[in-house]
């Protein structure tokens, strides 16, 4: 979403969240359990895995740590 914390952290659709601060994320329950412990203005660090295009015919997996501030919606 334009202007969202995810956009500011350069997270892209299709990236897979594998960590939320110090919590490993294996499924939506893990993510939700970590998220519910945070306040709307807390900073969090997500570890995400995605694909990065190297050239026209090759992509490689990439792991990124992104710090972002949650917001109240």
């Amino acid at each position: 979403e334009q202007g969202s914390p995810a956009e500011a952290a350069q997270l892209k659709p299709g990236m897979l969240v594998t960590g939320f601060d110090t919590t490993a994320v294996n499924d939506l329950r893990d993510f939700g359990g970590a998220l519910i412990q945070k306040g709307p203005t807390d900073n969090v660090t997500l570890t995400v895995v995605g694909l990065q295009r190297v050239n026209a015919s090759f992509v490689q997996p990439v792991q990124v740590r992104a710090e972002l501030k949650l917001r109240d919606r």
Side-chain angles (χ1 to χ4, degrees):
E1 178 180 322
Q2 191 170 10
S4 71
E7 180 189 49
Q10 299 182 344
L11 299 177
K12 306 287 185 216
M15 289 183 152
L16 177 66
V17 177
T18 60
F20 188 106
D21 286 338
T22 59
T23 302
V25 174
N26 297 304
D27 55 29
L28 190 54
R29 186 177 301 169
D30 292 341
F31 183 84
L35 180 61
I36 201 162
Q37 296 178 37
K38 297 292 184 177
T41 58
D42 286 348
N43 292 329
V44 299
T45 300
L46 297 181
T47 303
V48 297
V49 176
L51 295 176
Q52 177 180 27
R53 182 162 297 284
V54 175
N55 58 42
S57 61
F58 184 73
V59 294
Q60 68 182 14
V62 61
Q63 180 172 309
V64 178
R65 291 182 61 81
E67 293 188 28
L68 57 134
K69 177 174 255 182
L70 302 175
R71 67 176 182 189
D72 197 4
R73 292 200 101 197

